[in-house]
Amino acid sequence: RKEVEQDPGPFNVPEGATVAFNCTYSNSASQSFFWYRQDCRKEPKLLMSVYSSGNEDGRFTAQLNRASQYISLLIRDSKLSDSATYLCVVNPKPLSGYALNFGKGTSLLVTP
Amino acid sequence: NAGVTQTPKFRVLKTGQSMTLLCAQDMNHEYMYWYRQDPGMGLRLIHYSVGEGTTAKGEVPDGYNVSRLKKQNFLLGLESAAPSQTSVYFCASSYSIGQGASRQPQHFGDGTRLSIL
């Protein structure tokens, strides 16, 4: 089983829509969780960390369910500039220098 | 502030040639990493370093070697390039701040696109 699994999409949504991505992870001892954004042929960039109580950053809301080993990202009022691949990222445990396990990403296309 | 800088940005090699990819960071980060990204595979860790003079294997280390002689630099070497090593290579770095280190995000360079013919 892959450490971090995501629906690859693509998700095609109209501008202004709300879209949600889900991610599951296999290691119950995982320490920390992130969502990264990657634009085509560019480097991954941190979008937001995911905290146990859930957290919000503007139009973006992240949730963590440790019991189900499940992470979500909700994007409200989608903008054209949100088009990108969203990577679910998990830090399994602090042994491998905090190296991260990356999902393969979910592709989002926001259309006018 | 440059952040994480990778050189070169593009390179084409012939099978059997060797080369070194350089990663430099100016954020005084302890941890550095090399990943490769292939279509449909996501990012996979090749090697990493938790400090100057130390390196360790990641998920896909075969065919690569690394060195961390200076804290700010992490070098990835291909001794005898193979077509299977055609990929986009990303270097990343992150802080080590005790127990909070696991929550520190990784900062990525903008990648090296390597083709092996």
Side-chain angles (χ1 to χ4, degrees):
Chain A
R1 180 182 171 186
K2 182 71 176 166
E3 295 270 356
V4 180
E5 297 201 49
Q6 298 180 249
D7 179 348
F11 285 63
N12 294 327
V13 302
E15 208 172 356
T18 296
V19 61
F21 306 139
N22 303 319
C23 165
T24 57
Y25 61 94
S26 60
N27 187 339
S28 60
S30 295
Q31 296 268 324
S32 51
F33 312 88
F34 308 91
W35 283 101
Y36 277 69
R37 170 194 169 128
Q38 187 172 27
D39 294 291
C40 185
R41 301 179 67 81
K42 299 284 189 181
E43 75 274 21
K45 292 183 178 179
L46 179 68
L47 178 65
M48 60 195 302
S49 300
V50 185
Y51 301 120
S52 297
S53 55
N55 48 297
E56 188 174 306
D57 183 0
R59 297 182 293 109
F60 300 86
T61 301
Q63 296 281 350
L64 169 64
N65 184 324
R66 285 189 183 271
S68 301
Q69 296 177 207
Y70 170 99
I71 305 161
S72 66
L73 176 68
L74 181 76
I75 305 176
R76 292 182 299 278
D77 188 22
S78 299
K79 310 293 185 189
L80 298 177
S81 57
D82 293 335
S83 297
T85 297
Y86 291 83
L87 306 176
C88 177
V89 184
V90 175
N91 180 332
K93 50 185 176 179
L95 292 181
S96 59
Y98 305 105
L100 303 174
N101 286 336
F102 287 80
K104 294 180 182 180
T106 298
S107 177
L108 171 66
L109 178 62
V110 181
T111 56
Chain B
N1 192 341
V4 179
T5 303
Q6 290 183 233
T7 53
K9 297 198 184 316
F10 304 94
R11 187 73 182 268
V12 178
L13 291 178
K14 294 181 180 179
T15 297
Q17 287 186 314
S18 63
M19 78 162 295
T20 300
L21 281 64
L22 171 64
C23 177
Q25 53 94 5
D26 61 3
M27 296 173 283
N28 201 34
H29 285 171
E30 289 289 336
Y31 296 160
M32 297 187 74
Y33 315 83
W34 275 106
Y35 294 91
R36 60 178 288 175
Q37 187 174 35
D38 303 293
M41 297 295 293
L43 280 147
R44 293 182 292 170
L45 182 67
I46 305 171
H47 285 278
Y48 64 95
S49 169
V50 300
E52 183 178 321
T54 70
T55 64
K57 294 180 180 179
E59 181 185 354
V60 288
D62 294 342
Y64 305 95
N65 56 76
V66 288
S67 64
R68 184 101 179 265
L69 299 179
K70 294 183 178 180
K71 185 178 182 179
Q72 63 268 33
N73 296 335
F74 195 28
L75 278 63
L76 177 71
L78 285 73
E79 291 185 345
S80 179
S84 61
Q85 294 177 303
T86 293
S87 188
V88 180
Y89 292 85
F90 288 104
C91 176
S93 68
S94 63
Y95 279 114
S96 164
I97 310 176
Q99 293 184 356
S102 67
R103 299 184 183 85
Q104 296 300 321
Q106 293 187 4
H107 301 264
F108 283 81
D110 54 9
T112 295
R113 284 156 182 78
L114 183 61
S115 293
I116 315 295
L117 305 179

